[in-house]
């Protein structure tokens, strides 16, 4: 029996989306400029990674050398960011790394990275929402407003009641509230979302600047010795391996600039503005991370951060400016809110792109007739993320976000080299300098950080990708636009 062209074994592995076909896609409103893109990247990046993971990475892995871990992660992101910029200037379409892979590496790899990004954003958004809930509950408690404990924790967590008794939580209601609120803002429109995000980013950066500016005078130089604590015989516990393990842990802190590339179809001049947004936000965040970690490890000895759930608060206590406690708490809440906005935005745009290409049901690529946003995708992920944050203890899944992002970065770097050979004459408003050197360095550096992550994180990634492959073979392989053409 003769096979249809779209279903042949060869096309299954090699069929790619032509550039000219992507350029005909419509449906989203182009309203974002370079300033909005930089603010979106900063807003989606600076959050839990800075305020929480810095202390964990310093105390458990790198010591004061966590500064080098941030630098290593920044360099790896810089290589990937340059590659993102070249592809984003060529392919001004929603979908980020998924769309780039579809054009360069083929449908199968596009599905893998799209499915991977769905996990990255879903787990990341749920984790951030739970962290947001904890800080809001703490802030309200300091103002005398006490929420019912069982409505601020999942059923798998134990909470203490006012009478001192211990019981299981019911659901994390504040986490559900913030996910629903942010999702409704995103449905309302990208320009409104960008304005809200810009205000939040300004507050967040002012708080970070205050911490650095007021804290630097109270640094104890002795806390930097030894700068790289000797390895204790276990991989990842100090020494060089500890620096690399810490880089993998805090890579969660750099995932936000990837969300900038998901908005290419909503950018006024993507060929010019996307590189500015991606590289500009990465530069701002890298400088903030390095300066922040330098001050924090100078204020508090890394050994004293072990098991500390609020290392920033501990650092502030080493200064006479206790009013900073309240300011930083507000800044953290703002930080989590903008990160959540970036993750939910990126998630819905990736699903929009996958649905547009036929790999998912068409309902997810329908845009609202008034707001011109993929509102059904927003609602779908609002429900999924609300359920995750309300009922599951997901804090141990933070590494999944890091490994998912690193895999995306590796494929984007590879995609640049592939597309240069497949379409050498295609217009490139931005070109990564140095030929293949930077893409290769991006692949090597991101792969090195991936290898440093623990075995359980790898197992979770493999299981998730296996589930995705079953869905692709059962639905997307036969229903994609390329399979039907």
């Amino acid at each position: 029996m003769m096979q249809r062209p779209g279903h042949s074994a060869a096309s299954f592995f090699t069929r790619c989306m032509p550039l000219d076909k992507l350029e005909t896609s419509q449906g989203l409103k182009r309203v974002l400029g370079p300033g909005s893109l930089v603010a979106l990247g900063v807003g989606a990046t600076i959050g839990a990674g800075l305020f929480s993971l810095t202390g964990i990475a310093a105390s458990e892995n790198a010591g004061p050398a966590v500064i080098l871990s941030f630098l290593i992660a920044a360099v790896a992101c810089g290589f990937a960011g340059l590659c993102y910029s070249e592809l984003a200037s060529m392919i001004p379409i929603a979908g980020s790394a998924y769309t780039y892979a579809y054009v360069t590496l083929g449908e199968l790899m596009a599905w893998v990275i799209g499915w991977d990004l769905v996990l990255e954003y879903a787990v990341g958004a749920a984790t951030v929402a739970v962290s947001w809930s904890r800080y809001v509950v703490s802030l309200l408690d300091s103002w005398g407003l006490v929420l019912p404990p069982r409505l601020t924790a999942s059923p798998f967590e134990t909470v203490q009641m006012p009478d001192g008794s211990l019981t299981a939580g019911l659901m994390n209601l504040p986490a559900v509230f913030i996910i629903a609120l942010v999702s409704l803002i995103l449905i309302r429109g990208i320009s409104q979302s960008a304005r809200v995000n810009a205000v939040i980013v300004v507050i967040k950066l002012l708080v970070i600047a205050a911490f650095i500016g007021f804290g630097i005078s109270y640094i104890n130089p002795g806390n930097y010795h030894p700068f790289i604590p000797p390895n204790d015989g276990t991989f990842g516990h100090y020494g060089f391996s500890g620096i690399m393990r810490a880089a993998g842990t805090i890579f969660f802190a750099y995932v936000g600039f990837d969300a900038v590339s998901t908005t290419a179809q909503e950018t006024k001049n993507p060929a010019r503005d996307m590189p500015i947004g991606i590289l500009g936000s990465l530069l701002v965040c890298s400088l903030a991370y390095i300066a922040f970690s330098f001050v924090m490890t100078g204020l508090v000895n890394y050994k004293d951060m072990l098991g500390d759930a609020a290392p920033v608060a501990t650092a502030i206590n080493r200064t006479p400016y206790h009013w900073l406690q309240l300011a930083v708490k507000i800044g953290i809440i703002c930080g989590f809110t903008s990160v959540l906005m970036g993750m939910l935005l990126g998630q819905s745009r990736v699903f929009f792109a996958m649905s547009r290409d036929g790999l998912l049901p068409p309902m997810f690529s329908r845009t609202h007739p008034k707001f011109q946003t993929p509102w059904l995708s927003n609602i779908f992920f609002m429900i999924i993320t609300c359920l995750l944050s309300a009922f599951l203890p997901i804090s141990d899944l933070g590494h999944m976000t890091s490994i998912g992002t690193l895999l995306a970065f590796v494929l984007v770097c590879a995609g640049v080299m592939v597309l240069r050979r497949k379409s050498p004459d295609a217009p490139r408003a931005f070109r990564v300098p140095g030929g293949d050197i930077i893409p290769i360095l991006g692949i090597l550096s991101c792969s090195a950080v991936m290898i440093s992550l623990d075995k359980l994180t790898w197992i979770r990634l493999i299981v998730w990708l296996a589930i995705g492959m079953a869905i692709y073979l059962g639905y997307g392989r036969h229903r994609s636009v390329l399979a039907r053409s």
Side-chain angles (χ1 to χ4, degrees):
M1 182 180 293
M2 184 178 294
Q3 285 185 307
R4 285 180 291 173
H7 290 254
S8 69
S11 64
F12 166 68
F13 288 103
T14 61
R15 60 192 182 207
C16 296
M17 185 68 73
L19 274 173
D20 57 352
K21 191 164 188 174
L22 277 176
E23 289 166 1
T24 64
S25 300
Q26 301 293 331
L28 301 177
K29 188 187 298 184
R30 293 193 181 275
V31 296
L32 299 177
S36 297
L37 292 175
V38 172
L40 174 63
V42 174
T45 303
I46 297 180
L50 182 63
F51 297 117
S52 300
L53 295 183
T54 303
I56 295 173
S59 61
E60 297 181 1
N61 305 119
V66 70
I67 300 168
L68 298 181
S69 301
F70 272 114
L71 186 59
I72 290 171
V75 170
C77 282
F79 294 142
L82 288 167
C83 295
Y84 263 93
S85 298
E86 178 169 325
L87 294 181
S89 67
M90 294 180 65
I91 310 171
I93 302 298
S96 181
Y98 156 76
T99 302
Y100 308 152
Y102 213 157
V103 173
T104 59
L105 303 176
E107 185 176 279
L108 179 62
M109 289 308 300
W111 170 265
V112 169
I113 198 59
W115 188 247
D116 169 67
L117 288 172
V118 167
L119 176 66
E120 170 194 326
Y121 287 127
V123 174
T127 303
V128 170
V130 172
S131 298
W132 184 94
S133 171
R134 289 172 179 166
Y135 273 96
V136 167
V137 169
S138 174
L139 181 63
L140 293 177
D141 283 347
S142 67
W143 291 343
L145 301 173
V146 181
L147 298 179
R150 299 192 71 190
L151 295 181
T152 63
S154 77
F156 298 94
E157 295 174 293
T158 301
V159 296
Q160 185 172 11
M161 302 299 289
D163 61 3
S165 61
L166 300 178
T167 186
L170 292 176
M171 65 180 297
N172 196 327
L173 199 57
V176 172
F177 166 79
I178 189 58
I179 290 172
L181 177 62
V182 169
S183 297
L184 293 175
I185 292 173
L186 291 173
I187 291 173
R188 180 66 177 80
I190 187 65
S191 57
Q192 290 84 353
S193 303
R195 284 195 289 268
V196 172
N197 179 73
V199 173
I200 294 174
V201 166
V202 169
I203 296 173
K204 179 165 57 176
L205 291 179
L206 287 175
V207 170
I208 292 173
F211 175 83
I212 296 172
F214 288 104
I216 197 168
S217 300
Y218 298 90
I219 286 177
N220 177 8
N223 289 330
Y224 294 125
H225 300 288
F227 185 70
I228 304 178
N231 182 264
D232 62 4
T234 304
F235 183 89
H237 288 191
Y238 310 119
F240 178 74
S241 66
I243 294 173
M244 293 301 296
R245 174 64 61 84
T249 300
I250 61 174
F251 213 88
F252 179 85
Y254 282 98
V255 302
F257 88 85
D258 171 73
V260 176
S261 62
T262 67
T263 63
Q265 204 166 329
E266 294 156 282
T267 302
K268 295 176 183 177
N269 185 354
R272 181 200 67 188
D273 297 343
M274 291 305 296
I276 295 174
I278 292 171
L279 298 176
S281 60
L282 179 58
L283 177 62
V284 171
C285 294
S286 299
L287 293 175
Y289 284 165
I290 293 171
F292 191 94
S293 60
F294 174 78
V295 172
M296 192 169 81
T297 53
L299 290 172
V300 183
N301 190 280
Y302 72 94
K303 296 178 182 178
D304 296 336
M305 296 184 197
L306 188 63
D308 189 351
V312 179
T314 303
I316 293 172
N317 286 336
R318 305 294 170 90
T319 75
Y321 308 110
H322 296 294
W323 57 268
L324 266 179
Q325 289 275 16
L326 177 61
V328 167
K329 192 172 290 187
I330 293 174
I332 290 172
I333 292 171
C334 289
F336 286 153
T337 303
S338 60
V339 170
L340 191 59
M341 183 172 290
M343 287 184 167
L344 292 176
L345 173 69
Q347 190 175 53
S348 63
R349 270 46 177 186
V350 171
F351 234 54
F352 169 87
M354 296 174 75
S355 172
R356 174 201 62 203
D357 296 333
L359 296 174
L360 291 171
M363 61 177 289
F364 295 114
S365 56
R366 294 176 189 161
T367 55
H368 194 280
K370 180 180 179 181
F371 304 134
Q372 292 183 271
T373 56
W375 65 290
L376 292 175
S377 286
N378 283 122
I379 291 176
F380 175 76
F381 280 114
M382 178 182 74
I383 295 171
I384 295 297
T385 313
C386 280
L387 291 173
L388 287 174
S389 61
F391 298 111
L392 292 180
I394 55 173
S395 57
D396 62 331
L397 294 180
H399 284 176
M400 281 304 302
T401 307
S402 294
I403 197 169
T405 304
L406 286 161
L407 177 58
F409 288 179
V410 168
L411 293 180
V412 166
C413 292
V416 167
M417 295 189 292
V418 172
L419 196 57
R420 285 177 176 178
R421 285 156 179 78
K422 290 177 60 176
S423 304
D425 300 323
R428 288 169 170 81
F430 177 88
R431 178 185 287 269
V432 178
D436 288 343
I437 294 176
I438 287 179
I440 291 173
L441 289 175
I443 293 172
L444 294 176
S445 59
C446 291
S447 298
V449 178
M450 285 181 73
I451 292 172
S452 71
L453 292 171
D454 59 274
K455 185 184 297 184
L456 184 58
T457 298
W458 278 93
I459 292 173
R460 287 167 176 159
L461 176 66
I462 293 170
V463 170
W464 176 255
L465 293 179
I467 295 171
M469 188 57 63
I471 296 174
Y472 171 72
L473 294 176
Y475 182 91
R477 182 168 69 100
H478 307 287
R479 298 171 185 260
S480 73
V481 171
L482 293 184
R484 297 196 305 266
S485 62

